[in-house]
Amino acid sequence: HKEYHEALVHPGMFSHANPKRVAIVGGAEGATLREVLKHKTVESVTMIEIDEELIEILKTHMPVMSNCSDLMGRAENCFDDALTNLVVEDAKAWFLDRFGREATKPTSSEEMFDVVIVDALEPQMGSAISKDLYDTAHLESILKSLTEDGIMVIQIGRAPTILDPRPDIGFNAPREKLFKNLEALEDVEAMFVYEDPHCGFSEPRAFMIVCKSSACRTLFYATSDEIDYEIYARIVRTHSKARALSYFDGVTHLGYQVAPKAWETIYCRREPTPFECAYRHLDFKMPIYEYSFESSEEENPFKITAEWEGEGDDKAVSETHVFANVDIPKGSYIMPEHLASSLILSHKAIDNLRDNIGYGGVKVIEDFVEFVDTFGHDSKAEGTKRTLVEVGASYLIRSVESKEEANIGRWIPPHPEGKRPKYSPVYERHRLSFDVFAVATKDIPKGTELLKYTGMWDEP
């Protein structure tokens, strides 16, 4: 059971910078509560469970599930901990009464939650108890209960396979309805799916993280070492000296960041087909034009020239130009190897470099930051706070202000709706490819200069 509950709780908890107030929907056995209480940041946990008798039965016959005795600073039984507020009530009614459109028991902002974990039966099962947990009114009330950067976590049943039909029919239809309901809510900014095959079921189990702010991408897409540090800083110690987390760590979280291909396969069976589904793979029919520093000018598909200014030690390149040495058809990939080698820096790392400049005597850092400012662009996966810096020959291509004058553009065009979808496993799985690859936006005859639009990386 540890694998399942760690997979349910910790990816969402670590996607929030400082989760203090947490709510749990369901979870009668107490294992979800146990995992939440492992976080030092937590100041209160409100658990809303409809079946009090079930709680008592599980406490008696499955005490290991709610056993917090090894956690320093926690009660012997998780239900008895001072941070636990157990509410025996129908969760839907409880949230609607306090956070629904017609709330009868409105609450203050101090009572809002940073994280809500829905540990009820998955939407596919359609049981009498859980069937109403996933309707729009209840989901909206949960979102209203969250702080501005709040997160909702839902376990969503068995993971799909690439053989499943389009998502709105068959076994997956209730889950697709849940997704559509969430996508339609104004309070939702980002949605991620992940799955784990080690949860004790015959098939991998799937989970979803729903964010009120796209800023949650910063932590959800954190590196494994960043997650490992957060575990060290946040998770309580144990009396036994054993690690409080048996399964979850930074590398495990890293695996959750890329949903298996089945998710985008099923997503792209939606009708009509989502726009981005046409860009899941590079087009094998289109040619690639790469620049090689080792090859001669005659062998290269590009010719690079430079303009110089100044004299003597002050002589420097003022501008560079890249010309086509061959006819390049529209849609061809331009220097993909160079672009795929782009340097990826977090905004925090760049800010640290700027701070170092303030101490003086570090001209090399100052020059590097200037290079980043000139040739870097932010990831279009909003909230990741990552900058990609062109370090290959592609940065030598001259930029122009006019989009019509340019002949080089992003591989994936701007989304026709002007904004990326809240839920798209395609955009999430291919976020790096969409951030770096460029194509010819028109036929480029031999001898023509390559020109890229200044704002090509700024469009959605």
Side-chain angles (χ1 to χ4, degrees), residues 9 46 61 70 107 112 123 126 130 146-147 336 387 419 434:
V9 171
T46 300
H61 298 285
D70 196 33
T107 55
M112 299 178 78
S130 69
L146 292 171
T147 53
T387 294
K419 186 177 181 181
F434 293 164

Side-chain angles (χ1 to χ4, degrees), residues 155-265:
Q155 74 95 357
I156 51 176
R158 77 155 178 85
T161 75
I162 58 174
L163 302 177
D164 289 351
R166 75 173 197 251
D168 62 330
I169 60 175
F171 185 80
N172 293 321
R175 180 163 63 199
E176 176 69 357
K177 182 180 179 181
L178 165 65
F179 285 13
K180 289 287 191 178
N181 287 344
L182 287 166
E183 291 169 72
L185 294 176
E186 291 184 4
D187 282 331
V188 174
E189 281 292 324
M191 298 163 57
F192 313 116
V193 289
Y194 64 97
E195 62 182 63
D196 197 293
H198 306 105
C199 293
F201 297 87
S202 58
E203 297 170 299
R205 303 315 281 177
F207 308 88
M208 170 170 275
I209 292 175
V210 182
C211 306
K212 283 188 74 170
S213 168
S214 60
C216 70
R217 278 198 178 92
T218 307
L219 294 174
F220 182 74
Y221 287 122
T223 60
S224 60
D225 55 304
E226 288 175 317
I227 294 294
D228 282 333
Y229 171 74
E230 289 297 323
I231 290 172
Y232 172 83
R234 288 199 208 179
I235 297 299
V236 300
R237 303 299 186 259
T238 64
H239 297 291
S240 67
K241 308 301 182 184
R243 292 183 70 252
L245 301 185
S246 302
Y247 178 68
F248 182 84
D249 62 9
V251 177
T252 302
H253 185 87
L254 202 64
Y256 295 153
Q257 293 174 358
V258 182
K261 190 174 183 179
W263 286 100
E264 75 171 19
T265 302

Side-chain angles (χ1 to χ4, degrees), residues 21 25 28 120 135 139 161 163 187 208 230 242 248 257 288 339 388 418-419 424 437:
R21 292 180 50 81
V25 176
D135 66 19
L139 294 172
T161 75
L163 302 177
D187 282 331
M208 170 170 275
E230 289 297 323
F248 182 84
Q257 293 174 358
I288 289 175
L339 286 164
L388 296 98
K419 186 177 181 181
S424 172
F437 287 137

